[in-house]
């Protein structure tokens, strides 16, 4: 089974910009992996921020954007806010049927 | 509004089975797949599989095949996930989700002797 990799932790200053990435052990991530991004705060269920690489949900703040970058899926946060401190997970789809989650990135806004 | 409301917490002994329900409302149930995801304490998300609410077609994670069954009841717009032969490694919060948007609140399943 494929392994999906994310940075274990990242720190961003308030108002700063940070990029989280999502890689695949099978090679470059493409739009065909339908990358998703999820945000989870302690004690809460996950919340879907982004689907199919760069499509936002209605509740996704405009400061989040999704892309493919250097063979990985990327979630960029521009203008970080204290409320963005959370765990961010990505998922990739393989052969359109199997989904694998990354291990998550703990984002600190400090 | 779309809601996925899950059943309450469960405590099971090793070797037992658990069945978690996910009541959907606010949308046409048959139009969306339901995915099940679990999260062990302090760990990341783990994809368990999905079921087409339209056809009942399922696709399970390889490591759970033979122990998990996902079903739907279109008359009550409810999805179910049953996991058998439980071990302590199955202790986790179990979520139903449409993945692209809405999630259930989660159901804590604790496996302990």
């Amino acid at each position: 089974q494929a392994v999906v990799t994310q940075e274990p932790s990242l720190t961003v200053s308030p108002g700063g910009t940070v990029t989280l990435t999502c890689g695949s052990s099978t090679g470059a991530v493409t739009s065909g992996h339908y990358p998703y991004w999820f945000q989870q705060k302690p004690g809460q269920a996950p919340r879907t921020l982004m689907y199919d690489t760069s499509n936002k949900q209605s509740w996704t703040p405009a400061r989040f954007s999704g892309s493919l970058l250097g063979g990985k899926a990327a979630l960029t946060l521009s203008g970080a806010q204290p409320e963005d401190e959370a765990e961010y997970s990505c998922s990739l789809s393989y052969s359109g049927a199997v989904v694998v989650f990354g291990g998550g990135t703990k984002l600190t806004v400090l | 509004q779309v809601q996925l409301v899950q059943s309450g917490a469960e405590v099971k002994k090793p070797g037992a089975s658990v069945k978690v329900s996910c009541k959907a409302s606010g949308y046409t149930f048959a139009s969306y797949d339901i995915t099940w995801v679990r999260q062990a304490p302090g760990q990341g998300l783990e994809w368990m599989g999905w079921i087409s609410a339209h056809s009942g077609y399922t696709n399970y994670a390889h490591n759970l095949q033979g122990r998990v069954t996902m079903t739907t009841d279109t008359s009550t717009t409810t999805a179910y996930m049953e996991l058998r032969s439980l071990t302590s490694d199955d202790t986790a919060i179990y979520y139903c989700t449409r993945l692209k948007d809405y999630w259930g609140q989660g159901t804590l399943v604790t496996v302990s002797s």
Side-chain angles (χ1 to χ4, degrees), chain A residues 7-25:
Chain A
E7 298 86 2
S9 64
L10 289 170
T11 299
V12 61
S13 300
T17 296
V18 64
T19 297
L20 290 68
T21 67
C22 179
S24 173
S25 63

Side-chain angles (χ1 to χ4, degrees), chain A residues 45-84:
Chain A
R47 183 171 76 146
T48 304
L49 290 181
M50 203 80 61
Y51 65 95
D52 296 350
T53 305
S54 58
N55 293 288
K56 297 180 187 181
Q57 284 299 344
S58 57
W59 49 77
T60 304
R63 58 185 178 272
F64 288 95
S65 62
S67 65
L68 296 176
L69 194 65
K72 297 181 179 182
L75 178 71
T76 299
L77 170 58
S78 302
Q81 300 296 310
E83 61 265 31
D84 299 326

Side-chain angles (χ1 to χ4, degrees), chain B residues 27-34 51-55 74 77 98:
Chain B
Y27 71 97
T28 302
F29 182 67
S31 296
Y32 291 84
D33 302 335
I34 292 289
I51 180 168
S52 164
H54 171 68
S55 66
T74 54
T77 65
R98 291 190 340 182

Side-chain angles (χ1 to χ4, degrees), chain B residues 47-113:
Chain B
W47 180 79
M48 298 179 68
W50 60 270
I51 180 168
S52 164
H54 171 68
S55 66
Y57 174 84
T58 55
N59 191 29
Y60 302 139
H62 180 74
N63 65 320
L64 294 175
Q65 285 189 8
R67 286 208 300 137
V68 67
T69 301
M70 296 174 189
T71 57
T72 58
D73 182 341
T74 54
S75 68
T76 60
T77 65
T78 302
Y80 298 92
M81 186 285 300
E82 181 180 32
L83 189 61
R84 300 175 292 278
S85 302
L86 294 169
T87 73
S88 58
D89 289 343
D90 296 313
T91 293
I93 299 174
Y94 289 75
Y95 296 101
C96 63
T97 173
R98 291 190 340 182
L99 206 59
K100 187 172 287 189
D101 43 30
Y102 294 94
W103 290 67
Q105 82 276 20
T107 296
L108 175 62
V109 175
T110 303
V111 182
S112 174
S113 56

